Amino acid sequence: MDKSQQIGNQGLGGLAYTGSLDETLIRKRLSANKIGRSIKLFDSIDSTNKKAKKMAAKGAIEGSIIIANEQVEGKGRLGRTWVSKKDTGIWMSIILRPEFAPIHAAKLTVISALAVSQALYGMIGQRMLIKWPNDLVMNGRKICGILTGLSADRGKIHYAIVGIGINVSSRRGDFPPELAESASSILLETDRIVDRNELVAEILNSFEELYLQFTRTGDFTGHRAAYRELSVTLGKRVRVLRPEQEFEGLAIDLTDTCTLLVRQDDGRTREVLAGDVSIRGTGGYI
Ligand code: BTN
């Protein structure tokens, strides 16, 4: 039994300490060849996305991973803070150099969401569902957020950074009061302690498979089908909270470029590129 499994139980005074990340343990489970070729592991860092951006600008290879036990300046969408307490989650960024056009970049978020959900399902048989565009939820609470950034010009992507934050063993008190209702962790929702090293490796394995499937064939139909199955947004009445205009409608589909199609009550269909979407009638965060 490895060190993280020995200490990875709740018997230790209910601390649910899952140990630190360890590159050797990650590599033991890693079958991906390209994703994870280089792994830079930090005990504490400002933000793995920030570091990844610097490394990518200096020429880091595709598939480089930056991961940390703690982030002190973790960033979420719309400039929000991403709580990244030590040893309680997976705070990881993947550097990619895809050859497809920037219009397909949102596919990287979908690929990441599918990879996280598949990896967890393979480990504990429980699914995270996807709230468009970039959240993974369990029991209506957010467990994982994905932040994809690009450096691109004239129709070419120089590099993309996919930042994945997963709350693995966070406790209620780890989140600020304003997130108390909406944020949660795998531990809180499933009562399971998940080995973070194993989960990282399984995510990278799934990510590579899904990424290569698309980049080698250009075919995203299987990904879209898998997304539709896991979506908590499609088929629901949603409110789109856009800075310029809010509106309501029925979320009817994910397009090939991963935008959301929403049918308004007057029958008009609108394409939502980004922005916050809340699902009506659930009473909660989703
Ligand atoms: C969201 O707002 O839902 C996206 C959250 C993304 C958080 C991850 S954690 C790893 C990477 N580093 C960051 O600073 N942010 C992303």
Side-chain angles (χ1 to χ4, degrees), residues 3 22 105 109 119 128 131 148 172 174 185 201 214 223 225 258 272:
K3 186 169 154 255
D22 180 325
T109 304
M128 288 192 198
K131 176 181 177 273
T148 302
R172 289 255 163 269
D174 292 337
S185 67
F214 173 63
H223 303 74
C258 301
V272 184

Side-chain angles (χ1 to χ4, degrees), residues 47-49 71 73-77 82 91-93 134-135 142 145-147 163-165:
S47 151
T48 58
N49 266 18
Q71 293 185 121
E73 279 175 40
K75 288 277 173 294
R77 284 177 63 230
W82 182 261
W91 329 122
M92 164 167 89
S93 303
N134 69 335
D135 293 354
K142 179 163 171 175
I146 298 162
L147 187 62
I164 302 175

Side-chain angles (χ1 to χ4, degrees), residues 34 208 210-219:
K34 197 167 187 172
E208 172 156 304
L210 292 159
Y211 180 67
L212 295 183
Q213 257 167 24
F214 173 63
T215 52
R216 285 184 178 156
T217 65
D219 183 5

